[in-house]
Amino acid sequence: MKISYNWLKEYIDIDIEPEKLSEILTSLGLEVEGLETVEQVKGSLKNYVIGEVLTCGKHPNADKLSVTTVNVGTSESLHIVCGAPNVAAGQKVVVATIGAEVFMGEKSFTIQKTKLRGELSEGMICAEDELGLGNSHDGIMVLDKHAMPGTPAAEYFNLKTDVVFEIGLTPNRIDAGSHFGVARDIAAYLSLKSNFKLKMPDISRFKEGDNSFAIQVSVEDNKACRRYTGLTIKGVNVGPSPVWIRESLIAIGQNPINNVVDITNYVLHELGQPLHAFDADKLADGRIVVRKLHEGTRFVTLDGVERELSSDDLMICDGKNGSCLAGIFGGLGSGVSENTVNVFLESAYFDPVSVRRSARRHGLNTDSSFRFERGVDPNITLIALKRAALLIEEIAGGKITSAITDIYPSPVGHFKVEASYSNIDRLIGKKLDRGLIKNILASLDIKVESETGDTLNLLVAPYRVDVTREADVIEEILRVYGYNNVEFSQKINASLSPVVKPDNELIVNQVSDFLASNGFNEIMSNSLTKSIYYNNLKSYPAENCVAMLNPLSSDLGVLRQTILFSGLEAIVHNINRQNQNLRLFEYGKCYKHTGKSNPEYSLAGYAEDRRIAIFLTGDKTDPSWAAADARVSFFQLKAYCEKIIEKAGVSLESLKIEPLENKDDIFGGGLVYKNGNKILMEAGTVNPKLLKGFDIAQEVFFAEIYWDEVLKLYNNTVAFREMPKFPEVRRDLALLIDDAVNFSDIERIARQTEKNLLKKVGLFDFYKGKGIADGKKSYGVCFYLQDEAKTLTDNEIDRIMGKISDRLQKELNATLR
């Protein structure tokens, strides 16, 4: 939100340096994120002065140049060579003195003392375009004869320099969503030291019309429209706004449109109350009806987009059709144009929830909806209406012809809050003077209804939608008093907290360090994602998605069931920027609507779990003369994932490793690691159909570790054993086995056969093709044997390998090649 300093001064009489004021605003909870200087004229005519041409003669060496002497209010006149055809003695002119910067469009140059065709020139007599005050370059700008030489040009032209504060307004502080709201906070702060009064815009001249021309108003939904006020203005002349309104709006980033629309925008940013102006002659039957239309009704908004309405969208209608999405966006057919003569002016208070849902439904975010969503002041609607009506009368020449329509069946009352001095002292950490507390409350429009002993019974104004509890009141007192004014205590309090074992954060950091040291980059994605990703998926059905009640957009409509799609978004983003070799990982939560109660979660029917996702795609290494080109592979992914599981103290030998078969809509092939029936990890290559949907042409390998399940098996016991003194022996078997047999089956049988001396089992070769019967494959398997007490003999080794071979032949129908 942008706040103009000059505009702010219209409501509070201050002269504080902008940098100091930004500190005050930040301490009040209105964090200033930036300061910007806004100039009416580029450069603000620095080093430009009013001058009087004393003499003017022809240049001896140039027919089109003149040599002048100019009085600029100093002891010595300046010698200036001028090329303008209209320069003459006795003129009052604007002079750019030495050091002045002259802007010509995007380019500029600095005035220097120089010689032009042999004659000294100590400045420049300026034309309109050289001053930035017009486009004329036919000759120099000649001023009124009463202009005083030596007067700074900025002072003569009454140029103003403004400072704009960029405020990061938090959602709960919409009471400060206007210049008057910010001024109110500043006044509360400054009132601690002296009495500062706010100046509300003057509406004392307002007079209602005689109803000679009026619009009839009815409200059918008093829940969605809590208050509706309006009046009619006849005979307006729509045209450009005066300079002061245009400059005020431009300073805060608004584009002037016409005087009527600009006035509604001006009052919006002045008082925080959105207004809407209708062309009264376009309102069918001369009526305004606030109601909801049928589901599927088509409506064209001011941006020319045809939108399909929901039966929950509140509309401002005329006697026949919809004219405006209430509190959000006007309609194309009823807005003010250059041909408008009669205006109906609206100022209302719409239900925040209703506006928020409609705005999100249609993907709209306007200045009006921004304020209505958060809750505007229901009691300022009338003030804003009168203020805008008076400005339209003054600027656009109209006349108020109707009485004010004010439909307010259930006035919004003050919030009643109890606060005790003891709790104020306790939460602030300092005992404040009771009178000071009451003064702060009064400056914030919080009235003390009664005081009983230690307790204050307070009435909080309706526009303070965030102050509904005692803690909120105390926070208000503290932010105005100043956090920095609360001294540090000399006492240090400490408490011992039990550490939950295993320490998840520690383990996750260790895993992250391991992946980062192996060239991975961590990504952090939004848990909210697109529901369209889950359409037609068997692995993650769309009905299991946890949907948002008020999604910010359709792209953030549901909570993710898997981290896969977040990673693919990151991958395609990088590939589109010529970064194709990627190693990514993310640690985060996934969510699921289970439809049944889960004792592990407090919210029945929903579940969430923590996961670690790993992505590999592209080349193993960047192109280099020292290494051959090679693509990443599934086995590379598998190695990283198994290492992570081992880091959690989980033995791979205790897990069941099977082909990944029931998620073929996600994976094109891979493995699943299980502990009993619980899945610990799934790893494989991403289904090409999914990749095509993301416009990813290269192969992507993906693994998702179910971290909560891994932590249940966590074991950080460190075992020490002496290095073996006797050698390890390797024996290889070439086995012909059925396609359905997995390496894990071979390893399991081998370890069951020899539990003591068999240390490792590995797969070093795989072949399937010519010379191998259909339905068969060849594995080259290595077995490592070692006795830590002695050297194994050939007979012992042959006996062990014979037993392993026999069991493999018997249980897996394996044959030796």
Side-chain angles (χ1 to χ4, degrees):
M1 180 184 71
K2 292 185 176 181
I3 294 293
S4 160
Y5 195 14
N6 290 344
W7 195 345
L8 200 62
K9 291 178 181 179
E10 295 181 18
Y11 316 109
I12 183 169
D13 187 14
I14 55 174
D15 187 19
I16 304 173
E17 288 296 322
E19 290 76 12
K20 177 61 178 177
L21 186 58
S22 67
E23 294 176 7
I24 293 173
L25 289 170
T26 300
S27 71
L28 286 166
L30 305 176
E31 183 179 0
V32 177
E33 297 175 340
L35 287 175
E36 178 187 0
T37 300
V38 177
E39 301 169 321
Q40 278 186 280
V41 173
K42 201 169 185 179
S44 298
L45 298 185
K46 185 180 179 181
N47 293 325
Y48 288 72
V49 297
I50 306 303
E52 179 182 8
V53 181
L54 301 177
T55 64
C56 179
K58 287 293 183 182
H59 193 293
N61 301 318
D63 294 337
K64 294 184 178 182
L65 297 180
S66 300
V67 179
T68 68
T69 56
V70 183
N71 172 21
V72 292
T74 57
S75 58
E76 294 184 6
S77 300
L78 300 181
H79 296 274
I80 299 176
V81 175
C82 181
N86 65 329
V87 65
Q91 292 174 335
K92 298 294 178 64
V93 295
V94 182
V95 178
T97 61
I98 294 172
E101 191 169 6
V102 181
F103 294 91
M104 301 294 290
E106 296 299 320
K107 297 181 179 180
S108 67
F109 61 90
T110 303
I111 299 296
Q112 297 177 346
K113 186 176 181 179
T114 186
K115 283 190 176 183
L116 295 175
R117 296 288 184 92
E119 293 294 324
L120 179 66
S121 185
E122 300 174 297
M124 183 175 80
I125 304 175
C126 300
E128 280 187 8
D129 62 337
E130 294 163 337
L131 295 169
L133 298 175
N135 299 316
S136 174
H137 196 69
D138 296 336
I140 59 172
M141 187 177 188
V142 180
L143 307 179
D144 183 82
K145 62 181 180 179
H146 298 295
M148 184 66 65
T151 304
E155 179 182 326
Y156 177 83
F157 291 109
N158 194 27
L159 296 184
K160 295 180 181 179
T161 298
D162 198 2
V163 174
V164 175
F165 300 88
E166 182 72 43
I167 295 177
L169 192 68
T170 53
N172 64 313
R173 288 304 313 278
I174 196 59
D175 63 288
S178 65
H179 284 77
F180 184 77
V182 173
R184 182 168 49 206
D185 259 22
I186 295 171
Y189 178 86
L190 296 177
S191 293
L192 293 176
K193 297 181 179 179
S194 58
N195 189 20
F196 270 82
K197 295 294 184 181
L198 281 173
K199 293 180 284 186
M200 176 69 80
D202 182 19
I203 56 173
S204 60
R205 297 181 293 105
F206 179 84
K207 293 182 180 180
E208 291 189 341
D210 56 5
N211 282 329
S212 59
F213 178 66
I215 299 294
Q216 300 301 313
V217 179
S218 62
V219 177
E220 296 183 2
D221 191 333
N222 288 315
K223 183 179 178 181
C225 178
R226 305 284 296 278
R227 186 178 191 181
Y228 193 92
T229 65
L231 54 77
T232 310
I233 306 171
K234 191 175 181 180
V236 300
N237 181 19
V238 177
S241 296
V243 173
W244 66 271
I245 283 188
R246 292 203 310 269
E247 289 179 347
S248 295
L249 293 176
I250 290 171
I252 60 171
Q254 298 290 310
N255 293 320
I257 299 172
N258 60 54
N259 48 13
V260 175
V261 175
D262 291 349
I263 287 169
T264 62
N265 286 332
Y266 182 87
V267 175
L268 163 67
H269 292 282
E270 178 183 51
L271 298 175
Q273 171 63 43
L275 304 168
H276 190 72
F278 296 90
D279 187 325
D281 295 324
K282 295 179 181 178
L283 297 175
D285 301 333
R287 294 175 59 205
I288 283 287
V289 183
V290 184
R291 63 191 180 97
K292 294 176 180 177
L293 298 179
H294 296 296
E295 184 78 30
T297 302
R298 314 297 294 185
F299 177 67
V300 181
T301 45
L302 276 171
D303 56 359
V305 176
E306 186 179 63
R307 305 178 189 276
E308 185 175 311
L309 300 178
S310 163
S311 59
D312 292 327
D313 292 331
L314 186 68
M315 297 291 295
I316 310 300
C317 306
D318 57 20
K320 296 180 179 178
N321 304 304
S323 298
C324 176
L325 260 171
I328 302 172
F329 210 12
L332 187 62
S334 61
V336 172
S337 67
E338 58 185 11
N339 300 318
T340 297
V341 177
N342 303 317
V343 170
F344 177 75
L345 190 61
E346 164 196 285
S347 178
Y349 174 70
F350 299 112
D351 178 62
V353 175
S354 175
V355 173
R356 186 184 306 117
R357 287 178 176 173
S358 291
R360 297 296 176 268
R361 188 179 297 119
H362 296 288
L364 293 170
N365 183 22
T366 63
D367 285 335
S368 177
S369 67
F370 176 84
R371 285 160 176 82
F372 278 126
E373 286 176 21
R374 289 156 176 80
V376 299
D377 183 1
N379 296 327
I380 208 171
T381 53
L382 208 55
I383 297 172
L385 182 71
K386 293 178 178 179
R387 168 69 164 160
L390 287 171
L391 287 173
I392 291 175
E393 274 194 323
E394 175 187 337
I395 295 169
K399 179 182 179 182
I400 299 171
T401 59
S402 73
I404 291 177
T405 297
D406 188 1
I407 301 175
Y408 196 14
S410 302
V412 179
H414 284 61
F415 303 116
K416 291 190 175 183
V417 182
E418 285 188 1
S420 67
Y421 288 122
S422 56
N423 281 337
I424 293 173
D425 295 339
R426 181 177 61 85
L427 291 183
I428 291 179
K430 180 180 181 178
K431 186 173 182 178
L432 301 184
D433 180 77
R434 296 341 187 192
L436 175 62
I437 291 174
K438 292 177 184 178
N439 289 339
I440 292 175
L441 291 174
S443 69
L444 294 170
D445 283 349
I446 299 176
K447 299 177 182 177
V448 179
E449 185 179 29
S450 62
E451 182 176 356
T452 307
D454 186 55
T455 303
L456 294 171
N457 297 303
L458 306 172
L459 294 176
V460 182
Y463 68 82
R464 289 312 309 267
V465 293
D466 62 321
V467 184
T468 58
R469 306 169 302 163
E470 182 183 34
D472 300 329
V473 172
I474 297 172
E475 182 184 5
E476 289 298 293
I477 295 170
L478 180 56
R479 73 179 182 84
V480 173
Y481 177 72
Y483 293 95
N484 292 335
N485 292 327
V486 178
E487 297 82 3
F488 284 104
S489 172
Q490 297 299 314
K491 181 175 67 173
I492 298 178
N493 296 324
S495 60
L496 296 176
S497 302
V499 179
V500 178
K501 296 292 186 179
D503 187 339
N504 177 63
E505 295 301 319
L506 176 63
I507 302 169
V508 169
N509 284 336
Q510 290 174 345
V511 170
S512 299
D513 290 344
F514 163 73
L515 291 170
S517 65
N518 280 279
F520 283 81
N521 290 303
E522 183 174 7
I523 59 175
M524 294 183 181
S525 308
N526 198 332
S527 296
L528 293 169
T529 186
K530 300 177 183 178
S531 59
I532 195 173
Y533 287 154
Y534 299 94
N535 290 348
N536 304 317
L537 280 186
K538 296 181 298 180
S539 302
Y540 300 103
E543 56 267 25
N544 288 351
C545 288
V546 179
M548 296 293 101
L549 293 177
N550 298 307
L552 294 174
S553 71
S554 57
D555 288 349
L556 302 171
V558 298
L559 288 167
R560 64 187 179 191
Q561 296 188 57
T562 173
I563 304 178
L564 171 63
F565 300 114
S566 302
L568 293 181
E569 287 176 347
I571 287 172
V572 72
H573 179 84
N574 279 272
I575 290 176
N576 290 341
R577 287 156 182 78
Q578 307 302 315
N579 186 19
Q580 299 177 340
N581 304 326
L582 300 168
R583 298 184 181 197
L584 307 175
F585 76 95
E586 178 171 0
Y587 168 76
K589 288 185 177 182
C590 293
Y591 307 84
K592 184 179 180 181
H593 179 225
T594 61
K596 57 185 179 180
S597 179
N598 188 331
E600 294 187 25
Y601 303 99
S602 58
L603 191 58
Y606 297 90
E608 67 179 47
D609 65 296
R610 295 170 292 188
R611 301 184 192 178
I612 294 177
I614 301 174
F615 300 86
L616 278 177
T617 186
D619 294 332
K620 281 186 177 181
T621 60
D622 291 331
S624 171
W625 64 269
D629 294 341
R631 306 291 283 180
V632 294
S633 67
F634 166 74
F635 296 102
Q636 189 178 1
L637 174 74
K638 175 176 175 286
Y640 287 126
C641 293
E642 289 183 349
K643 195 66 179 176
I644 290 171
I645 291 177
E646 288 178 341
K647 276 186 169 293
V650 180
S651 171
L652 293 174
E653 298 172 6
S654 65
L655 304 180
K656 184 164 57 176
I657 305 175
E658 299 174 346
L660 190 54
E661 296 174 345
N662 61 346
K663 287 192 174 181
D664 54 355
D665 52 350
I666 297 294
F667 292 97
L671 296 174
V672 57
Y673 291 64
K674 294 182 178 180
N675 176 46
N677 292 324
K678 296 289 186 179
I679 297 176
L680 267 62
M681 181 182 75
E682 295 168 331
T685 179
V686 178
N687 190 311
K689 290 183 179 179
L690 278 183
L691 298 180
K692 187 176 180 181
F694 282 84
D695 290 329
I696 299 175
Q698 61 193 51
E699 196 171 19
V700 176
F701 298 99
F702 165 67
E704 198 159 41
I705 300 173
Y706 293 76
W707 191 244
D708 288 332
E709 295 299 329
V710 172
L711 282 185
K712 291 176 183 178
L713 304 176
Y714 179 76
N715 179 14
N716 65 344
T717 303
V718 178
F720 167 80
R721 64 178 180 180
E722 188 179 356
M723 289 288 292
K725 298 178 181 179
F726 300 97
E728 184 179 73
V729 178
R730 169 176 168 170
R731 289 291 186 269
D732 298 340
L733 292 180
L735 301 173
L736 189 64
I737 53 178
D738 295 334
D739 274 341
V741 176
N742 295 317
F743 169 74
S744 59
D745 298 324
I746 298 173
E747 184 179 18
R748 173 179 52 80
I749 291 172
R751 292 190 179 280
Q752 290 175 352
T753 304
E754 178 51 59
K755 297 180 180 179
N756 297 321
L757 301 182
L758 182 62
K759 303 301 181 184
K760 290 187 294 183
V761 182
L763 179 66
F764 67 87
D765 188 35
F766 164 77
Y767 177 72
K768 185 177 180 181
K770 186 177 180 181
I772 302 295
D774 292 341
K776 296 286 186 178
K777 59 186 175 183
S778 174
Y779 272 4
V781 184
C782 54
F783 302 85
Y784 294 88
L785 304 171
Q786 187 178 46
D787 190 333
E788 297 181 4
K790 62 184 180 65
T791 301
L792 290 172
T793 64
D794 288 340
N795 289 335
E796 290 173 322
I797 296 170
D798 293 340
R799 178 172 50 79
I800 293 170
M801 293 304 300
K803 288 166 64 178
I804 292 174
S805 298
D806 291 343
R807 284 199 63 180
L808 292 175
Q809 292 179 34
K810 181 179 179 180
E811 297 184 24
L812 300 180
N813 195 28
T815 58
L816 296 176
R817 296 186 65 197

